[in-house]
Amino acid sequence: MTAITVGLGGLAGWRVLQRMEARQVEATAKDPVVQRAAAYFRDNLSTKTTTDALVGDYKMLQVALGAFGLDTDIANKAFIRKVLDSDLGDRASLANRLGDKRYLKFAEAFKNIGNAAATGQAITDAYVQRQFEKRVGEGNESYRLALNARNEMKAFAARTSSDKTMWYEVLGNKALRTVFEGALGMNSSIANLPIDRQLEMFVSASERVLGSSSFSEIGTIEKIDKLVTRYLALSQIQTNTTSTRYSAALSLLSQR
């Protein structure tokens, strides 16, 4: 995998990345490896694609999971099978119980494929975007998380779920939660608190920092930009502080 780098860090690098994003996504889509994987998926997806067929085909499953950012689960076929076979109408089923709702979206996508061509294109488009984000992450993990948060938040703003439901999704999505914690100045140790208490703290911090805890408002372009830029700015400060302390420690050691 070829890393995508911008030659700058922090907010300056983020602005450069935004300007080059469309061109780099297109370049990622044209990468022979990505292109072959996407074409194979589209060619082999049909309205009759079963759980067995999907889980049993490594190349199909790689694209399917990759589209939802679930690549690391590819070896856990028994788990993936249970997710896909979940009764989505039953709130107690596995896909509905999991805190990370990417699994639910994954199951929904393959429960009723409908138009195979349209579904195949949507899945491969998402796969290409995720591949782009992974390549950005090879150069700067904070930028990958920022891209993911931006796209997730745009999707949240268009949904009709309750704010409480979507906040629980934020808490269960490690990548998105990392950005919120960073932007809101929260310590990751709060994950040890009861989930309802965590929710209260995130909602309160969002109202204080972003001016609202409603996704219809914090999902606007302006608020998403504020969330992401705060995350990147505070991450850069933390990185610089750590680096300075490390350099100071090395300096002290060298004087002995």
Side-chain angles (χ1 to χ4, degrees):
M1 181 184 296
T2 304
I4 295 175
T5 58
V6 297
L8 294 170
L11 294 179
W14 172 245
R15 298 308 182 198
V16 172
L17 179 61
Q18 288 179 302
R19 290 196 293 271
M20 63 190 284
E21 180 176 0
R23 185 172 71 255
Q24 289 295 338
V25 170
E26 184 177 353
T28 300
K30 291 179 179 178
D31 180 286
V33 175
V34 174
Q35 206 168 41
R36 283 196 298 271
Y40 181 87
F41 182 87
R42 288 192 299 269
D43 291 345
N44 287 276
L45 183 71
S46 75
T47 56
K48 297 181 180 179
T49 298
T50 64
T51 295
D52 286 341
L54 183 61
V55 175
D57 189 323
Y58 183 88
K59 290 192 287 186
M60 284 280 285
L61 188 60
Q62 187 176 41
V63 173
L65 289 173
F68 294 89
L70 300 172
D71 319 50
T72 56
D73 284 321
I74 194 159
N76 198 352
K77 292 186 177 182
F79 171 71
I80 293 303
R81 187 183 299 277
K82 289 179 181 178
V83 169
L84 288 170
D85 287 340
S86 294
D87 179 358
L88 302 186
D90 180 1
R91 295 182 63 182
S93 67
L94 178 61
N96 281 312
R97 290 200 324 270
L98 291 169
D100 189 339
K101 295 307 175 184
R102 290 179 300 171
Y103 292 104
L104 177 59
K105 294 173 187 174
F106 170 68
E108 288 173 339
F110 294 98
K111 185 64 68 173
N112 182 17
I113 294 173
N115 185 320
T119 299
Q121 190 62 56
I123 294 293
T124 53
D125 285 348
Y127 171 72
V128 168
Q129 176 64 31
R130 292 289 187 179
Q131 288 299 303
F132 161 70
E133 292 173 11
K134 284 178 68 175
R135 293 178 181 206
V136 169
E138 290 292 314
N140 187 311
E141 178 65 4
S142 293
Y143 289 162
R144 183 190 72 81
L145 292 172
L147 286 168
N148 174 74
R150 182 201 63 188
N151 296 334
E152 291 275 8
M153 288 297 290
K154 286 180 180 177
F156 274 34
R159 288 170 50 189
T160 57
S161 302
S162 70
D163 286 323
K164 186 174 183 180
T165 294
M166 289 190 279
W167 272 114
Y168 277 127
E169 290 187 32
V170 170
L171 297 181
N173 185 321
K174 184 178 179 180
L176 186 55
R177 178 180 178 130
T178 297
V179 172
F180 268 91
E181 284 180 344
L184 302 179
M186 306 177 76
N187 193 301
S188 59
S189 64
I190 70 168
N192 298 320
L193 297 174
I195 192 67
D196 288 342
R197 178 57 181 149
Q198 293 181 46
L199 175 63
E200 291 174 4
M201 294 177 71
F202 271 83
V203 167
S204 176
S206 181
E207 290 173 349
R208 184 179 67 256
V209 174
L210 301 177
S212 175
S213 60
S214 171
F215 284 88
S216 63
E217 294 184 36
I218 62 177
T220 62
I221 293 175
E222 179 186 0
K223 295 295 186 183
I224 293 173
D225 185 62
K226 184 174 183 178
L227 173 76
V228 169
T229 53
R230 276 184 61 87
Y231 163 69
L232 291 172
L234 292 175
S235 294
Q236 185 177 23
I237 290 172
Q238 185 177 37
T239 299
N240 290 343
T241 300
T242 301
S243 178
T244 299
R245 288 175 178 170
Y246 179 70
S247 297
L250 284 179
S251 178
L252 286 171
L253 287 171
S254 66
Q255 293 173 16
R256 293 189 175 185

